[in-house]
Amino acid sequence: MNFWETITGSDLTREWKAFEARAQALPADHRAAWERITGHLSLYSDFTGRNLMPILDGALGLLEETAADGQSVHDVLGDDIEGFCAALAGEERGRGYRDRWRRQLNRNVARKLKQLGG
């Protein structure tokens, strides 16, 4: 990856297109699970989304293997895809921008309330 690719994000676009091409080869139920996984994992993204690429690659690989083995999505992921994504992202490491903004807002409000109270 060169400097220009890093700045423009063209490497991410190329990688995302490769993910989508792989996902199109999945059966319909696995493809639907992929869509849900990408939606839930986006909450754990950093500003660029680079931190999610290895996680997404692993999740898609899991879906590809289970589809090849003839396993259903429910057997592999269960009912809680959101929990599966949280486990993949790693609870503490995978905190997203929303969590950081929420903590910052809470700190600022607490500081202002302390100033008003005395």
Side-chain angles (χ1 to χ4, degrees):
M1 173 172 49
N2 65 33
F3 178 74
W4 184 250
E5 287 178 333
T6 302
I7 296 299
T8 63
S10 62
D11 60 323
L12 295 175
T13 303
R14 191 172 44 253
E15 200 167 346
W16 186 255
K17 285 181 182 179
F19 286 158
E20 288 302 315
R22 289 169 54 194
Q24 289 303 315
L26 293 172
D29 59 337
H30 287 71
R31 207 170 32 250
W34 168 250
E35 294 297 325
R36 290 184 63 197
I37 287 170
T38 57
H40 288 299
L41 279 177
S42 66
L43 299 174
Y44 299 99
S45 174
D46 61 6
F47 181 72
T48 63
R50 280 186 206 287
N51 67 322
L52 292 184
M53 289 306 175
I55 297 170
L56 288 169
D57 186 41
L60 186 56
L62 175 68
L63 290 174
E64 289 170 332
E65 287 179 27
T66 58
D69 291 342
Q71 294 177 313
S72 74
V73 172
H74 187 272
D75 291 341
V76 178
L77 302 178
D79 293 327
D80 187 18
I81 290 184
E82 187 174 344
F84 173 77
C85 291
L88 273 180
E91 292 295 334
E92 289 301 316
R93 285 184 309 120
R95 292 198 186 262
Y97 63 93
R98 290 180 185 177
D99 296 315
R100 289 190 295 273
W101 288 347
R102 186 178 297 118
R103 281 194 308 273
Q104 182 180 1
L105 177 64
N106 287 338
R107 279 192 310 267
N108 291 342
V109 168
R111 190 175 0 184
K112 291 293 182 184
L113 288 174
K114 191 182 285 188
Q115 288 175 355
L116 291 174

